[in-house]
Amino acid sequence: MLKQFADYITYTLLKLEPTSHLGDALNFFIYDTLKIFLLLTTIVYAVAIIRAYFPPEKTKRILSQKREYLGNTMAALLGIVTPFCSCSAVPLFIGFVEAGVPLGVTFSFLISSPMVNEIALIMLWGLFGWKIALIYTGTGVVLAIVSGIVIGKLKMEKYVQDYVWQIKAGDGVIMQTSFREKLVFARDYTKDLLKRIWPYVIIGIALGGIVHGYIPTDFVVKYAGRDNPFAVLVAVLIGIPLYSNAAGMIPVVQALVGKGMAMGTVLAFMMSVTAISFPEAVILKNVLKMRLIYTFFGIVTVGIIIVGYLFNAIL
Amino acid sequence: MEIKVLGPGCANCHKMEELAKTAVKELGIEAKIEKITDIGQIAMHGILSTPGLVVNGKIKHSGKPLPSLEKVKELIKGEA
């Protein structure tokens, strides 16, 4: 139905030739924009209702009684559903550590929470299908668990800013909300999120349309294809500074995949866009010494690169 | 009454402060509104996601999305 609508606008209303670059690019743009926003609105809303049941205070309480391994696993899974914004990373970090959540477990949460988010999942699902979205989720969770365990084993507690250990916070409260209030939360959450990301999504889809219509396949295959051994490395490095644009990146990447970019490279790129960011590093400096920030980013980066090569080899 | 708005200074924290001020004005009550931006202080109040609203030492709201003006008035009135 969306396809017919896009066809109607481009070929009937605007009278563009289906074989022309412009017609092809515009058709692609209209179809993808409709599809993505439809998916975004419905799924973000549904996920927000789930999120309303997992306020960070509850997650903190669950994790504070957990040790390594099981703790890391639960932290990575709870990271998916607990609402998280990098602007709250610091109070959240202090709250966790102060409640007795082990450092490595806290990191498993901090890694999985931004990486395995519904936007990345919806975009991956909408553009590459559910299998890729599922692989991304699974790999993201495993990466968060393993990275957290490694950081825990490295015994880096002394690289947390000293004042953090001196804070004695109250237990906090878990706000009791009715189902109706949860629905309001979900509605506001969805509105807030869409308001923030819609320009990136549209720009991303437009860029994707241009790639789709104009960039030659040989070019993409040569640089981002399976046979270029450096593609994963370069993709991960490019992804690190691209942060808030995660939603906008996927349509571009999808167009590149259509032209021969390898899937493992795509997954690695997406993970580096969502998991590692400079703004987050600046915020975390409030609670972590540089050495721990480097270690955290280093471990995650290496993990993502491994994921990229692994999936290039098996997919 | 003592009202604290806690947040490191993001756009939503400013909005939260405005909400608290408007609510107090419309309720016509005496209240001291304090803005807390120090991250250690924020954490010490037990706030895990900002912005936070603390009334008379009790956490009334934390995180996004912000409550409506009506809700803020209710939260403040509950402690009055």
Side-chain angles (χ1 to χ4, degrees):
Chain A
M1 195 193 85
L2 295 177
K3 185 85 195 116
Q4 274 92 335
F5 183 76
D7 286 348
Y8 174 75
I9 299 234
T10 28
Y11 307 135
T12 314
L13 222 57
L14 295 171
K15 298 192 175 63
L16 290 165
E17 285 296 323
T19 47
S20 69
H21 276 321
L22 183 64
D24 192 30
L26 191 69
N27 188 275
F28 182 82
F29 175 77
I30 294 172
Y31 175 69
D32 267 5
T33 311
L34 289 172
K35 184 170 80 176
I36 293 296
F37 276 99
L38 206 70
L39 273 172
L40 272 177
T41 316
T42 48
I43 300 188
V44 168
Y45 183 72
V47 172
I49 296 176
I50 300 172
R51 284 189 189 281
Y53 287 92
F54 291 90
E57 290 78 11
K58 203 168 175 179
T59 299
K60 180 182 90 168
R61 211 163 284 182
I62 297 172
L63 293 178
S64 64
Q65 293 136 19
K66 296 289 177 294
R67 308 212 160 268
E68 269 186 314
Y69 305 113
L70 178 64
N72 294 92
T73 309
M74 292 196 62
L77 293 173
L78 285 167
I80 304 175
V81 287
T82 306
F84 171 81
C85 139
S86 60
C87 51
S88 299
V90 165
L92 194 106
F93 180 88
I94 297 176
F96 273 37
V97 170
E98 195 267 341
V101 180
L103 192 61
V105 174
T106 305
F107 269 104
S108 283
F109 179 87
L110 282 180
I111 294 165
S112 121
S113 199
M115 183 162 54
V116 190
N117 66 73
E118 69 269 42
I119 306 200
L121 295 186
I122 294 162
M123 304 289 288
L124 287 172
W125 181 26
L127 299 174
F128 295 117
W130 62 271
K131 272 188 200 152
I132 296 295
L134 213 63
I135 289 176
Y136 179 87
T137 312
T139 320
V141 169
V142 170
L143 187 69
I145 295 171
V146 174
S147 305
I149 291 174
V150 173
I151 291 173
K153 291 276 181 231
L154 291 174
K155 301 259 172 279
M156 301 204 69
E157 280 75 5
K158 57 180 174 294
Y159 298 109
V160 171
Q161 302 284 6
D162 304 317
Y163 81 92
V164 172
W165 302 111
Q166 282 143 28
I167 289 177
K168 284 276 162 285
D171 203 17
V173 281
I174 297 174
M175 266 171 286
Q176 299 299 329
T177 49
S178 63
F179 184 66
R180 184 185 284 269
E181 282 176 306
K182 288 188 172 70
L183 290 183
V184 174
F185 167 89
R187 193 198 62 200
D188 290 351
Y189 184 93
T190 311
K191 253 202 282 186
D192 191 66
L193 201 95
L194 283 176
K195 214 159 58 185
R196 212 151 26 91
I197 67 165
W198 74 265
Y200 299 114
V201 176
I202 294 209
I203 293 170
I205 296 171
L207 282 175
I210 292 170
V211 170
H212 182 78
Y214 293 93
I215 307 247
T217 307
D218 312 347
F219 178 83
V220 179
V221 169
K222 186 172 165 209
Y223 291 103
R226 199 184 285 262
D227 296 329
N228 180 355
F230 299 109
V232 170
L233 205 65
V234 174
V236 170
L237 294 178
I238 293 175
I240 292 175
L242 298 170
Y243 176 59
S244 52
N245 312 339
M249 289 320 303
I250 304 183
V252 181
V253 172
Q254 187 214 17
L256 289 170
V257 168
K259 303 270 175 179
M261 184 174 177
M263 212 55 218
T265 312
V266 170
L267 288 171
F269 177 69
M270 280 309 304
M271 287 183 171
S272 93
V273 168
T274 50
I276 321 173
S277 76
F278 289 128
E280 200 188 338
V282 172
I283 291 167
L284 285 175
K285 253 190 80 177
N286 284 299
V287 279
L288 306 178
K289 293 178 188 164
M290 282 323 284
R291 178 118 174 230
L292 182 45
I293 296 182
Y294 291 141
T295 311
F296 162 39
F297 279 15
I299 290 172
V300 176
T301 307
V302 170
I304 291 173
I305 291 171
I306 294 172
V307 167
Y309 284 115
L310 184 72
F311 282 109
N312 272 350
I314 60 176
L315 279 180
Chain B
M1 175 178 302
E2 206 181 51
I3 297 172
K4 288 177 187 161
V5 176
L6 307 95
C10 45
N12 277 307
C13 312
H14 292 299
K15 270 186 221 153
M16 189 65 167
E17 193 183 3
E18 289 309 312
L19 276 172
K21 278 182 182 160
T22 316
V24 166
K25 205 195 259 168
E26 289 187 11
L27 287 170
I29 49 173
E30 280 291 314
K32 197 178 101 194
I33 299 179
E34 195 186 345
K35 180 94 186 286
I36 295 176
T37 54
D38 179 74
I39 285 166
Q41 285 284 324
I42 294 171
M44 219 173 300
H45 281 82
I47 298 278
L48 288 189
S49 42
T50 56
L53 180 73
V54 171
V55 181
N56 286 347
K58 281 183 217 146
I59 299 175
K60 288 293 171 188
H61 176 88
S62 92
K64 281 193 298 183
L66 296 178
S68 64
L69 179 61
E70 283 312 306
K71 178 89 188 172
V72 174
K73 277 159 101 174
E74 232 173 81
L75 293 173
I76 293 176
K77 215 157 56 185
E79 284 298 315

